[in-house]
Amino acid sequence: MTKIKKLHHKRLNFPPQDAQTLREQIEAAPTDGLHDVLKPYQEWPFVRGDMYHWIPTLNRFDETMADAIEKYKLSGLQESDFDHSTQQTLVSMLHFSRLLLENCINRNLYSSVDRLDSLLNTSDPEVLECTLRLLLRASQRWSYQRDLRANQALMSARLMTLADPWHTKKDIVPHADKDTAESAASHANEFRLLADDKNTNLLKAHGGVVRYQFFRTAEDVQQMEAEGAAPVDSIAVSLDTRKKTGDGGSHRRTPSKKSHSHQSDAGRQSSTLSEGLVSIHTPVCDLGLDHTAGVSAQMRQAFDKLVAQHNVPRAHHFELRHRIYVALAFAAGDSELRYALLRARIYAAAILSQLMNEREFKNAFLSREPNFTADIIGVLQPEVHAPLSVQTAVFLALESLLKQRSEVSGAYVALNASANHGVLMFILRKAFTDVDGPPAFPYELMSALYFFLTAMANNMNGGQLLVSAGVVPVFVSALKHTHSQQLRSIGRAAKLLDYLISSTSST
């Protein structure tokens, strides 16, 4: 990152006094006190601002992130957990930076994308999620994509790993109750399966398996032998005594026909490392982890064992670690961690849809998950009872996916966007029915819904579909809200109404 050195332009107005006060508090606070200053600002309380006012704040945030990246060696995989103060500070800075991008003009001033790239190596799920949300908002601004593409090769590989399918249906569906049509449909959609809390015990019992495949090249063998890696005959190729082979790997290189030899059979051994396809299919319960330790510590134990067990080259470490984290979330029955990783998966796919053109996105991502858009919309169905945080991630992803022309019609069909009884209208009615009460949904979900509706109204007949579904009366009722916490929703509903009425031709 280069420090922002631009001066205030001549016509820049003075910021509001309360914004000026906050800026001074941020600049004066010690590093371990930034969280206390930023914590009250979960929503943007000011009028629309200008990034020029916040240049010193952005520089301060960049320096703090750089210190954390250096301290925890985030140029590679994170090897030790953040201390509590550092973790809270990073989360608060990332959250406030995103608020700035969403509520200020001159957003092209933001230039800490390379810091965010390094933070993708974190093992902290909350920091990872906040990083991805900020990257998603940055990637939606055309002026940032030049900065993002400077690191796109390495960043896209990590994002692709985070967005990859988890292939849980193979383990879960045979044990699931599919007596009803609703249950069968739910388990056919991996996102609905993962987002429903009722499936936690099912996932715990059958989903805690580390699945990964990689191809060890001749170059990998030479490098590992130079580093003194253990020969294959000193290790067991798979801890799964049933000799299952997993389909969870997604490495991009295609192995040669002659290289499928010894790695798939635990009985074959060789005195030296050799190239070939290596399949890892290991239940978490067989790894002998210390279950008194935290999830992050268990993840590192499993990672170290599997890397040594299978002589995994360094290029595959990030993907293997993520596979282990997912399996541990299932095995521990930790629904909050599962939801955090699921949200990260949705955000990563949305970022890829912004970084890639339509052809690249189709070949790199949709070829492996062709029903992604329809599947994440399935999470919004009321019978799924998905957490509101996951629904927020879905709406933010849909906002980005509407920019992929091949996904627009599928999204509208899955949402039943033109129907008065569709899932979108169900959510809107729920959000605006009680005119005297507080908001039915939290600020984050309401903001994501507003961003999506704005994108839809500006995209390929989306405005006409909304009008035909009967959204205008719903927004008119929103103007009657009297609760103080609904004032922001009133303004947003008025803007959408103005656009829909003025842009939709009367028939």
Side-chain angles (χ1 to χ4, degrees):
M1 180 265 184
T2 56
K3 188 175 181 180
I4 302 175
K5 299 179 180 179
K6 291 186 178 181
L7 302 176
H8 291 176
H9 51 76
K10 295 180 180 180
R11 296 183 180 181
L12 182 68
N13 296 325
F14 288 104
Q17 183 58 45
D18 47 0
Q20 175 67 19
T21 301
L22 174 60
R23 191 182 69 176
E24 293 172 353
Q25 291 175 346
I26 293 173
E27 295 170 15
T31 300
D32 56 2
L34 279 174
H35 171 70
D36 294 330
V37 175
L38 298 172
K39 183 179 179 180
Y41 297 92
Q42 298 303 305
E43 304 178 15
W44 183 257
F46 315 117
V47 297
R48 192 164 184 81
D50 192 321
M51 276 292 212
Y52 275 100
H53 292 144
W54 300 94
I55 288 177
T57 297
L58 293 173
N59 287 335
R60 172 75 189 279
F61 286 175
D62 186 84
E63 293 171 0
T64 304
M65 285 191 290
D67 292 341
I69 290 169
E70 182 179 3
K71 179 179 179 181
Y72 291 94
K73 300 177 181 178
L74 291 177
S75 55
L77 296 183
Q78 185 173 353
E79 298 178 355
S80 59
D81 291 339
F82 295 120
D83 61 69
H84 183 65
S85 176
T86 300
Q87 193 265 356
Q88 286 190 321
T89 300
L90 286 173
V91 169
S92 297
M93 290 191 305
L94 292 168
H95 175 78
F96 192 79
S97 297
R98 177 172 56 81
L99 290 180
L100 289 175
L101 287 178
E102 292 175 349
N103 297 278
C104 292
I105 61 174
N106 292 312
R107 291 176 282 257
N108 60 318
L109 288 176
Y110 188 80
S111 57
S112 295
V113 173
D114 57 336
R115 307 296 189 212
L116 304 183
D117 184 30
S118 297
L119 287 176
L120 290 177
N121 287 316
T122 183
S123 58
D124 186 284
E126 189 173 5
V127 173
L128 176 62
E129 182 179 354
C130 290
T131 301
L132 289 170
R133 285 202 64 176
L134 181 53
L135 268 176
L136 175 59
R137 189 56 62 195
S139 66
Q140 290 170 337
R141 312 300 178 190
W142 68 270
S143 55
Y144 290 113
Q145 293 184 7
R146 190 179 307 164
D147 297 331
L148 287 170
R149 285 173 178 167
N151 300 321
Q152 183 173 349
L154 186 58
M155 184 186 293
S156 293
R158 289 197 289 263
L159 291 172
M160 193 67 71
T161 294
L162 297 172
D164 268 345
W166 294 349
H167 299 287
T168 53
K169 290 189 291 184
K170 181 176 180 179
D171 292 323
I172 302 302
V173 172
H175 306 279
D177 177 17
K178 302 187 291 296
D179 293 338
T180 65
E182 177 184 323
S183 178
S186 177
H187 291 106
N189 181 339
E190 186 180 37
F191 286 93
R192 290 181 60 159
L193 178 71
L194 296 169
D196 195 337
D197 191 56
K198 293 184 297 184
N199 295 321
T200 297
N201 291 332
L202 189 64
L203 291 165
K204 181 178 181 179
H206 304 287
V209 179
V210 180
R211 295 175 177 271
Y212 185 53
Q213 291 181 341
F214 68 94
F215 184 74
R216 188 187 294 122
T217 65
E219 293 78 6
D220 293 331
V221 172
Q222 293 175 359
Q223 181 179 359
M224 297 183 73
E225 287 179 342
E227 295 174 353
V232 174
D233 63 349
S234 67
I235 59 177
V237 174
S238 176
L239 291 177
D240 186 0
T241 58
R242 295 168 295 181
K243 298 182 182 179
K244 290 185 178 179
T245 57
D247 59 354
S250 59
H251 196 255
R252 322 299 178 239
R253 286 176 287 187
T254 303
S256 59
K257 293 182 180 180
K258 67 179 181 179
S259 61
H260 291 264
S261 56
H262 69 281
Q263 300 294 353
S264 60
D265 188 350
R268 299 183 186 178
Q269 296 179 346
S270 172
S271 59
T272 59
L273 285 172
S274 62
E275 62 177 308
L277 179 69
V278 182
S279 297
I280 300 175
H281 186 287
T282 307
V284 171
C285 59
D286 291 347
L287 287 170
L289 305 180
D290 179 8
H291 297 292
T292 61
V295 175
S296 295
Q298 293 183 50
M299 181 269 294
R300 293 189 183 93
Q301 293 174 19
F303 176 78
D304 291 340
K305 289 185 178 183
L306 290 176
V307 168
Q309 183 79 20
H310 297 276
N311 283 330
V312 181
R314 191 176 300 276
H316 302 274
H317 284 185
F318 182 88
E319 192 164 2
L320 175 61
R321 187 192 67 170
H322 185 66
R323 300 282 179 177
I324 293 171
Y325 225 157
V326 172
L328 280 172
F330 294 159
D334 190 339
S335 57
E336 291 303 318
L337 177 58
R338 184 175 85 245
Y339 295 148
L341 294 173
L342 183 61
R343 293 192 296 269
R345 175 178 167 184
I346 295 172
Y347 290 137
I351 297 169
L352 288 172
S353 73
Q354 295 292 320
L355 293 180
M356 298 178 176
N357 60 40
E358 187 173 351
R359 182 178 179 180
E360 291 172 340
F361 186 64
K362 183 177 180 179
N363 292 337
F365 180 75
L366 293 178
S367 60
R368 288 180 296 173
E369 198 158 8
N371 299 320
F372 176 78
T373 302
D375 285 350
I376 62 172
I377 290 174
V379 172
L380 302 175
Q381 298 292 340
E383 64 270 14
V384 179
H385 305 292
L388 296 181
S389 60
V390 176
Q391 295 185 43
T392 300
V394 169
F395 278 118
L396 290 172
L398 289 175
E399 178 195 1
S400 296
L401 288 166
L402 287 183
K403 297 182 180 179
Q404 296 285 334
R405 290 181 298 174
S406 62
E407 298 301 294
V408 173
S409 59
Y412 290 163
V413 171
L415 284 168
N416 211 354
S418 61
N420 189 262
H421 57 273
V423 62
L424 182 58
M425 289 301 299
F426 171 82
I427 293 173
L428 288 174
R429 288 194 186 94
K430 188 175 180 180
F432 297 118
T433 296
D434 188 0
V435 297
D436 297 321
F441 297 125
Y443 169 80
E444 293 286 352
L445 178 53
M446 292 299 295
S447 295
L449 181 59
Y450 170 74
F451 290 137
F452 168 69
L453 291 172
T454 302
M456 183 176 175
N458 285 278
N459 191 292
M460 287 181 65
N461 301 323
Q464 294 181 359
L465 291 176
L466 288 173
V467 172
S468 63
V471 76
V472 172
V474 175
F475 285 157
V476 170
S477 67
L479 301 179
K480 302 176 183 178
H481 282 141
T482 58
H483 198 279
S484 59
Q485 295 181 16
Q486 294 277 24
L487 294 178
R488 186 182 296 272
S489 295
I490 293 174
R492 288 174 168 176
K495 290 180 180 179
L496 281 170
L497 269 176
D498 177 67
Y499 179 81
L500 291 173
I501 293 173
S502 61
S503 65
T504 303
S505 58
S506 59
T507 57

